[in-house]
Amino acid sequence: MFPSRFDLVVAQSVGEAVEAKADAGEGGRFLAGGQSLIPMMKMRVAFPETLIDINRIAGLDAIEQSNGHLQVGALVRHADVVASDATFGAIAAAAPWVADPLVRNRGTMCGSVAHCDPEGDWNSVLLATGADVLAQGPNGERSIPIVDFVDGAFTSTLGEDELVVGLRIPVPSGRSGGAYLKLERKVGDYATVAVASHLELDHSGAISAAGLALTSVNPINTKVADAEALLVGQQPSDELFAEAAELAAAAAEPRDDVRGTAAWKRQVVRTYTMRGLAAAAQQAEGS
Ligand SMILES: Cc1cc2nc3c(=O)[nH]c(=O)nc-3n(C[C@H](O)[C@H](O)[C@H](O)COP(=O)(O)OP(=O)(O)OC[C@H]3O[C@@H](n4cnc5c(N)ncnc54)[C@H](O)[C@@H]3O)c2cc1C
């Protein structure tokens, strides 16, 4: 199908994009990689009156470490994350699992975060690693912790006129590791179930920080805060990870669908949590 008619504004700066969005009101939509929005327009699920293309804005395509954070600009494509030397842990592990090479070449990490698809991979990774979303609107820039940003299926707390200009992910100062285990029906598919894990260890080998989040098993990417609290202060062990996996399974409310039964998906959450935490601990111990 063809999309319905729309006007196109090609923004040359963040200020211009924000202003164009304010002018367009509810009928305006930012266009980044177009890998979610364009298919939705073609299916007539979305019918923006004005598209504000942000692809020509200079300075938004960097992915780099600075001031103890991994900074990811709004025009960093999934493929840039795959190729980057600046990533670590769960971020590096997840990047090659997002969609397929064609989508990864155009789709942006920030677009995915803003889209808030509960089957999207990045928001779980960001929930596990404790990222902030940087937003710019008519009243200036603000930083939104990812836990406060993800609000529901395809819903965020981003203001109507705000553009996500980047992400800021803390770089662990000590020993750390992460994993992203994703079950998909075929290469390039959305997750049937995925689990993001992140662990940091102190000098004694005990867990000093933990992150755990689930994809595709709830109407929202889900941070498993009680499992994270259980892990902190403990020495890594199979028994501890099995306990955390029970909490993760309890936090999952998957549905029966063509991809599998709810009971089976919950079992995958349990298994992937144990495996993911074990892989994260092993990576941290070797770092
Ligand atoms: C075949 C296929 C397979 C896919 N598989 C996966 C997968 O396995 N895992 C996965 O996570 N994703 C998957 N995706 C989605 C893909 O990752 C998209 O790239 C991503 O969801 C959106 O990024 P985008 O840059 O393309 O955003 P767009 O499509 O341009 O925009 C998506 C939405 O976000 C808004 N938006 C975009 N950028 C910003 C911004 N900077 N600030 C504010 N709002 C913004 C837009 O207005 C729009 O509402 C798949 C897509 C396709 C087509």
Side-chain angles (χ1 to χ4, degrees):
M1 271 170 65
F2 293 103
S4 57
R5 191 189 170 284
F6 58 89
D7 292 328
L8 179 68
V9 176
V10 181
Q12 304 294 335
S13 67
V14 169
E16 240 179 75
V18 169
E19 202 180 312
K21 182 73 175 66
D23 290 347
E26 277 188 9
R29 218 59 187 260
F30 293 118
L31 175 70
Q35 297 303 300
S36 292
L37 184 54
I38 300 292
M40 286 164 63
M41 289 169 64
K42 286 185 167 177
M43 287 186 285
R44 301 273 175 126
V45 180
F47 20 83
E49 290 159 14
T50 308
L51 278 189
I52 300 133
D53 183 349
I54 63 167
N55 286 279
R56 304 277 170 86
I57 302 176
L60 294 182
D61 58 354
I63 174 166
E64 61 194 5
Q65 287 193 14
S66 75
N67 298 326
H69 288 85
L70 177 67
Q71 316 263 1
V72 182
L75 291 176
V76 170
R77 317 281 165 181
H78 306 305
D80 298 328
V81 187
V82 176
S84 172
D85 291 335
T87 60
F88 53 89
I91 300 150
W97 287 91
V98 177
D100 55 46
L102 292 177
V103 174
R104 286 200 294 271
N105 282 340
R106 285 302 298 169
T108 64
M109 189 170 175
C110 287
S112 183
V113 170
H115 192 48
C116 276
D117 182 342
E119 295 190 347
D121 297 301
W122 284 125
N123 280 350
S124 291
V125 174
L126 299 190
L127 283 166
T129 52
D132 287 330
V133 179
L134 307 176
Q136 191 156 323
N139 300 323
E141 190 169 316
R142 69 180 177 124
S143 167
I144 312 164
I146 187 75
V147 280
D148 299 330
F149 181 86
V150 182
D151 202 28
F154 303 100
T155 316
S156 75
T157 56
L158 193 68
E160 180 72 24
D161 302 339
E162 282 182 314
L163 177 72
V164 173
V165 290
L167 304 166
R168 196 166 51 201
I169 305 152
V171 178
S173 52
R175 293 189 294 163
S176 70
Y180 190 68
L181 299 187
K182 175 174 174 178
L183 180 70
E184 52 187 23
R185 286 175 303 179
K186 59 185 172 60
V187 171
D189 197 8
Y190 286 92
T192 299
V193 174
V195 178
S197 319
H198 171 81
L199 290 180
E200 295 177 38
L201 305 181
D202 67 17
H203 57 278
S204 73
I207 297 168
S208 55
L212 189 66
L214 313 177
T215 309
S216 287
V217 289
N218 284 320
I220 183 169
N221 296 76
T222 306
K223 185 174 174 69
V224 193
D226 52 358
E228 293 173 346
L230 169 84
L231 291 162
V232 172
Q234 309 286 330
Q235 289 291 332
S237 71
D238 290 346
E239 294 71 29
L240 177 67
F241 296 156
E243 256 188 87
E246 285 309 319
L247 295 173
E253 296 282 348
R255 289 181 310 180
D256 294 332
D257 62 18
V258 289
R259 290 172 172 165
T261 64
W264 173 72
K265 291 181 195 174
R266 194 172 284 114
Q267 182 55 33
V268 177
V269 168
R270 203 174 270 120
T271 303
Y272 277 17
T273 301
M274 282 191 283
R275 285 186 195 165
L277 289 171
Q282 198 178 21
Q283 197 181 92
E285 282 158 0
S287 66

